[in-house]
Amino acid sequence: MEDHEWDRFRHHAKRVQELSITLDRTERDKPLFVYYDVYDYLMENYPEENLLPNLRKITANVGRVEYFLETLLQPGLRSFTWTYGKQQDALDLLKELRRVVPSLHELSMREDEWCKEDQATPKVRKELWKTICSLHELRSIDVLAISPDALRHVAKLPCFETLKFHMENLDYGAMLAQPSVFESLKEISVKTSGKKMAPLLSLLATLPSHGL
């Protein structure tokens, strides 16, 4: 691209607040749908560090783009929905997320179909839980699993409203014993098996009745 074309790009880049990265052609109506290979070119050639300076929401429904997502993170980001692919890229991105975006409001994370359950999940989930515990303005999370410490953290956040996760074979007892948890919760979605119903019912019993 020539200099005058980059000038035009900068002009429009400032107006972008939502970005969707996907391989699904049915999602072309999403805000600023762009095939992810376009970002390879931008990373190699864009003359400035901040690509989309006013970006507030990222939805990346495809793995293997973590290397590019790091360049989009900024303090003003408020919503981050992401399907991860490669383990090391996911670990790096989570570390960068908690360093750059301490005021994130919404976090949603899933595993790409290319990701092997026994290969990447444990390390990435631990890094995810560490990231959740570092974010103090969270209002919503949607994750495959959550640790007792991470659950205890969001339970005490004053503006936390939406909780979605899969209940694992973890001990949530200490968290459930805490008073004044989930005071602002409005929506909860928990997936579990019959063997895990007891801790789930204990969790639900601690929730405030208002808003739900």
Side-chain angles (χ1 to χ4, degrees), residues 64-109:
R64 308 178 300 284
V65 295
E66 289 84 0
Y67 65 95
F68 177 74
L69 293 177
E70 284 191 46
T71 68
L72 297 176
L73 299 181
Q74 56 186 312
L77 191 69
R78 291 295 176 264
S79 179
F80 191 60
T81 298
W82 164 44
T83 300
Y84 81 84
K86 295 182 180 179
Q87 172 180 297
Q88 191 56 53
D89 289 342
L91 295 174
D92 292 341
L93 181 57
L94 285 168
K95 292 176 183 176
E96 192 70 2
L97 183 68
R98 62 175 178 264
R99 185 185 72 83
V100 178
V101 197
S103 299
L104 191 70
H105 290 174
E106 301 175 2
L107 176 61
S108 177
M109 183 175 170

Side-chain angles (χ1 to χ4, degrees), residues 109-124:
M109 183 175 170
R110 286 289 180 265
E111 296 160 357
D112 187 79
E113 62 181 2
W114 293 80
C115 181
K116 300 295 185 181
E117 181 78 16
D118 59 347
Q119 176 184 359
T121 298
K123 288 184 178 180
V124 174

Side-chain angles (χ1 to χ4, degrees), residues 8 18 50 55 71 78-79 83 95 103 105 125 127 130 149 167 173 193 195 209:
R8 185 168 56 192
E18 296 185 26
N50 201 333
L55 192 61
T71 68
R78 291 295 176 264
S79 179
T83 300
K95 292 176 183 176
S103 299
H105 290 174
R125 286 186 180 180
E127 199 66 39
K130 185 176 181 180
D149 285 343
M167 182 163 277
S193 66
K195 295 180 180 179
S209 58

Side-chain angles (χ1 to χ4, degrees), residues 19-54:
L19 176 66
S20 177
I21 305 174
T22 180
L23 295 180
D24 188 350
R25 295 175 181 270
T26 64
E27 296 193 13
R28 283 185 171 178
D29 61 335
K30 300 293 183 181
L32 191 59
F33 169 88
V34 182
Y35 281 114
Y36 74 92
D37 54 351
V38 173
Y39 299 106
D40 291 333
Y41 177 84
L42 292 174
M43 284 187 64
E44 294 175 3
N45 298 279
Y46 191 58
E48 298 178 10
E49 180 179 351
N50 201 333
L51 185 64
L52 302 173
N54 296 313

